[in-house]
Amino acid sequence: METTLVLIKPGGVSRNLIGEITRRIEARSLKVVGLKLINADRTTVEAHYAEHAERPFFKDVCDYLTSGPIVAIAVEGTNAVKAIRAMMGATNPVEATPGTVRGDFALTIDDNLTHSSSDPEAAARELQLWFPEGTL
Ligand code: CDP
Ligand code: MG
């Protein structure tokens, strides 16, 4: 059993995709064990993307994540990390397979709608960051 983090980025929230994305997670028999709509702190977002601090897109992605409400979801299930990554699709939506969230609803890398943890270690770190109060 694993727990992973999904963030529905501001573009996903403003396009009313909270229900659609959550529906897909639940339809896969993965369990929602934490869920909240928040305005993310810049500090939290910068810590979240710390591995990308030196990349040219770092400021833009942090601006984007703080540009409006986001939804943080903790998702539990067998192989949840890998299953969720596959469901969200490739980082660049033009390379994302149809049937994935990004392949169905996104078009550009700067507005690719969701974040999901890349591996179990990242998931543990990110869950601590976004759900310091813990999950259910
Ligand atoms: O989100 P994911 O793990 O698939 O991709 P990442 O390589 O960890 O990059 C984090 C986020 O930065 C992406 O989801 C994009 O929102 C953004 N990014 C970007 O705007 N331009 C790039 N060339 C690469 C990433
Ligand atoms: Mg990543």
Side-chain angles (χ1 to χ4, degrees):
M1 211 57 132
E2 290 176 347
T3 308
T4 189
L5 175 78
V6 174
L7 298 177
I8 303 177
K9 296 176 178 179
V13 172
S14 66
R15 287 182 50 203
N16 293 341
L17 291 169
I18 298 172
E20 172 65 25
I21 294 166
T22 309
R23 185 196 65 74
R24 288 176 177 221
I25 293 168
E26 291 193 294
R28 199 78 191 278
S29 295
L30 292 158
K31 196 166 172 54
V32 172
V33 293
L35 179 78
K36 56 188 174 186
L37 177 69
I38 50 172
N39 285 307
D41 290 337
R42 181 111 198 160
T43 316
T44 308
V45 171
E46 288 183 354
H48 174 79
Y49 280 130
E51 62 169 316
H52 296 313
E54 305 306 321
R55 308 283 288 277
F57 59 83
F58 181 69
K59 184 182 177 294
D60 286 347
V61 77
C62 292
D63 287 347
Y64 175 48
L65 266 284
T66 53
S67 67
I70 67 169
V71 174
I73 312 174
V75 179
E76 182 186 78
T78 306
N79 297 317
V81 173
K82 219 172 169 178
I84 285 284
R85 283 288 285 191
M87 286 169 70
M88 298 306 147
T91 304
N92 189 340
V94 290
E95 285 155 18
T97 310
T100 64
V101 168
R102 287 164 170 172
D104 287 350
F105 300 112
L107 204 53
T108 60
I109 196 165
D110 58 313
D111 190 17
N112 61 6
L113 303 180
T114 59
H115 164 81
S116 52
S117 309
S118 55
D119 55 60
E121 293 69 36
R125 187 184 74 82
E126 293 169 4
L127 286 163
Q128 182 57 43
L129 191 61
W130 293 99
F131 289 94
E133 71 277 23
T135 56
L136 300 186

